[in-house]
Amino acid sequence: MKTAASLTALVFALAACTTTRSNSDPAIKAADALDRAADALAANAAPTADEARAFVAAAEKDLADFSVISSRAQWVNATYITDDTDALASYFGTIGTEKGVSYASRAARFNDVAGLDYDTRRKLDILRGGLTLAAPQTPGAAAELNTISTRLQSTYGKGRGTVGGKPTTGNDLEERMGTSRNPAELKEMWTSWHTNVGRPMRADYVRLTEIANQGAKDLGYADTGAMWRSGYDMPADEFAALTDKLWGEVKPLYDQLHCFTRAKLNAKYSSSVQPATGPIRADLLGNMWAQEWGNIYDIVAPKGAGDIGFDTTDLLVSKKYTPEKIVRTGENFFSSLGFAPLPATFYQRSQITAPRDREVICHASAWDLDNKDDLRIKMCTKVNGDDFVTVHHELGHNYYQRAYNAQPYLYLNGANDGFHEAIGDTIALSITPDYLVQTGLLAKNKLPSADKDTGLLLRQAMDKVAFLPFGLLIDKYRWGVFSGRIAPTALNQGWNDLRLQYQGIVPPTPRTEADFDPGAKYHIPASVPYTRYFLARILQFQFYKAACDQAGWKGPLHRCSFYGNKEVGQRLNAMLALGASKPWPDALEAFTGSREMSGAAMIEYFRPLQAWLQQQNAGKRCGW
Ligand SMILES: [Zn+2]
């Protein structure tokens, strides 16, 4: 996760509270001056290119100044939760949201202005498309949208399912879905969570769709889905087609994994629970949403080949690693590529471990507080293999943030939203057994032999490959709901149709149109776009392969580590330094030489596994 002081972070949540602030605040005075400028503009029927440039310059300066103080409030709140810091964070959050709403609608006034230079046009589009949900100008609409958004999120947060009839929080259910191997209990957890959490949201979600669509239309988009797809430097429909193309490239691998996993579940639970053909029962995959399957690796692990041969957690513990040493090891990876060391303030100001004396948010994130080099991570790092990978992931955000810090404020972002999440994962893919030997964590004579690769790749695929159709369908669903292709009377059927079509899974119990199963996934009630996660899964392999090619790697792709290669570092930096200043194909080309996103590298990475899966699945009827 990335937290940067960029406009895309200004998600719509509180736009209703426009009259509750004191005008003694300098940030608000600046905003008022802009309001007056905008009013003057509104009186002018045909805005000019000069006015557009002046508007963009003023907006960019205002947002840049505001982002620094706002980030500080958010940081203090996340690392020291009290009533007071909650109030401060919410105060600045509200102002930020209002600025986002206001700038989007003002930017839309320049939609038809001709003769704009490249940067003015691009920055206007960034301002206009920076909201997640837009409210129309009609009286009361923003307040209603805000009320509904808040209610949806609190319904999710307060939601309870049951285990053995006992009410249980979402967090506890999520954990238990990963470890329980009792099909009756899994079915109860899945069904109670989806029914209890989803159902009450249904009417609200229909209304949210109506209001937000009108808001998107007012900004010049066909609907909210088209607005979300506008951030990818191509027409909205072309982008939808691009995601289909990418899915088509990786689907054969998913189909093999699905087939193999289904057979293992059938063997474990018998045909009365999981039939040998057809879709997989959604609650048997170790995750409430069947989005990553790594939790049931024990069920699918092949004998012998399933034993990976070492355990990163054990290595870290036996070498007496501390959380800070893990972070310094991650930093060392980037230094080996030629990136400058992290500033001293990184170690002074980051939250690397959980403080003992106060409440904090432990969810890992990476920050850039001054849009220059006040980089920090916020984690509650534990000495284990998962956090070893997470540290590399978060540092990827930090190095991206610093690489583009010479760009103007509105370009302080990834080339598209998939890029930012992919960078750290690209580095994490390079944490191979060979890399662990190079860092001294793994003894050279303990390096696993090639016959362990199947286990390593299968464990990776259970998370990274299993996620692909889920990562895609969350927004396929919402694009359909926003465009009206999925009717308000068929909201649940539309969801389960996509789950069957893409993931090949079915609910464990009958569902009806009284239900709203999509509401049981956080990102739906919270209105967080999701395609970025699908793109990041694809892109990280494409970046990784480009780096390995540049490093001259000739072996099987999954064994490559580009640790220590300065040329890779230079090429990577050339992409990162562009920030969001150019269309993403330019950034992709700067590093990989290609202007096309492609699933080919992911297929190459998993090729030995795919061949192995095909052998295992021989004679079975795959598909559903
Ligand atoms: Zn991230």
Side-chain angles (χ1 to χ4, degrees), residues 47-49 110-116 121:
T48 66
F110 299 99
N111 283 356
D112 299 323
V113 175
L116 293 179
R121 180 79 266 162

Side-chain angles (χ1 to χ4, degrees), residues 1-2 393-394 397 420-421:
M1 178 177 168
K2 171 197 66 143
H393 173 92
E394 297 304 335
H397 288 308
H420 229 300
E421 291 301 330

Side-chain angles (χ1 to χ4, degrees), residues 307-310 315 431-453 456 553 559 561:
D307 174 15
I308 288 161
F310 68 89
L315 298 179
I431 304 177
T432 58
D434 272 316
Y435 168 70
L436 295 176
V437 170
Q438 279 177 289
T439 56
L441 266 167
L442 184 63
K444 190 151 182 115
N445 62 0
K446 291 278 166 55
L447 192 64
S449 49
D451 64 323
K452 303 292 187 199
D453 283 12
L456 280 163
W553 177 256
R559 291 194 150 230
S561 176

Side-chain angles (χ1 to χ4, degrees), residues 237-258:
D237 290 345
E238 263 178 50
F239 177 68
L242 172 58
T243 61
D244 285 333
K245 185 210 85 156
L246 293 170
W247 169 237
E249 289 169 353
V250 293
K251 183 174 188 300
L253 175 58
Y254 179 77
D255 287 350
Q256 291 295 322
L257 186 67
H258 180 280

Side-chain angles (χ1 to χ4, degrees), residues 18 59 71 82 117 239 275 278 368 389 452 538 566 622:
T18 48
S71 297
T82 67
D117 58 281
F239 177 68
D368 175 10
V389 169
K452 303 292 187 199
I538 302 269
K566 301 272 191 301
C622 292

